Amino acid sequence: MMENKQNKKWGLNKDLKNLTVRQRIDALVLLYFLNEYREQNIAFKKLKSHWTNMIYKLPETSDKAYNSVKNGRYNILSRMKKLYNEHVVKL
């Protein structure tokens, strides 16, 4: 009985074709991390530490680009959380 709960995968409650291109990319990345780590909190921590840090590596605070990079990181995580809340379900 416990194996069934652990084998459940994450998926979308909406067809990928009905999402925008940006949402499709975000959904596939998010689903990878959710299915890889199974637990929501761990998946979001790994998403932030691996994916977000790879794309938006924070420069030093004295750097001119610091605020724009910081805002980009916030935007990508906000999009992922919104997508999770609206379209991601356990199958």
Side-chain angles (χ1 to χ4, degrees):
M1 191 73 160
M2 287 295 279
E3 285 184 33
N4 286 342
K5 287 185 178 181
Q6 291 178 349
N7 287 335
K8 287 191 176 186
K9 294 204 173 220
W10 293 89
L12 297 174
N13 63 3
K14 194 173 194 179
D15 191 353
L16 275 176
K17 294 176 186 174
N18 296 331
L19 298 174
T20 65
V21 174
R22 178 81 261 163
Q23 286 177 321
R24 288 179 201 170
I25 294 168
D26 290 345
L28 293 174
V29 170
L30 181 58
L31 288 174
Y32 166 76
F33 280 95
L34 286 169
N35 285 320
E36 181 71 24
Y37 297 103
R38 305 275 186 210
E39 196 175 310
Q40 172 196 350
N41 292 333
I42 296 171
F44 271 99
K45 285 179 186 175
K46 295 294 185 179
L47 174 80
K48 184 177 179 183
S49 67
H50 291 18
W51 181 256
T52 309
N53 287 343
M54 184 176 72
I55 295 175
Y56 293 106
K57 184 172 179 167
L58 269 177
E60 293 185 23
T61 54
S62 60
D63 194 329
K64 290 180 186 178
Y66 178 79
N67 283 333
S68 63
V69 173
K70 186 174 150 188
N71 289 335
R73 290 168 62 95
Y74 173 79
N75 289 337
I76 195 170
L77 289 173
S78 295
R79 283 195 325 258
M80 294 286 189
K81 287 180 184 176
K82 182 179 179 186
L83 188 68
Y84 175 81
N85 290 331
E86 293 178 358
H87 302 296
V88 176
V89 294
K90 268 200 174 182
L91 302 176

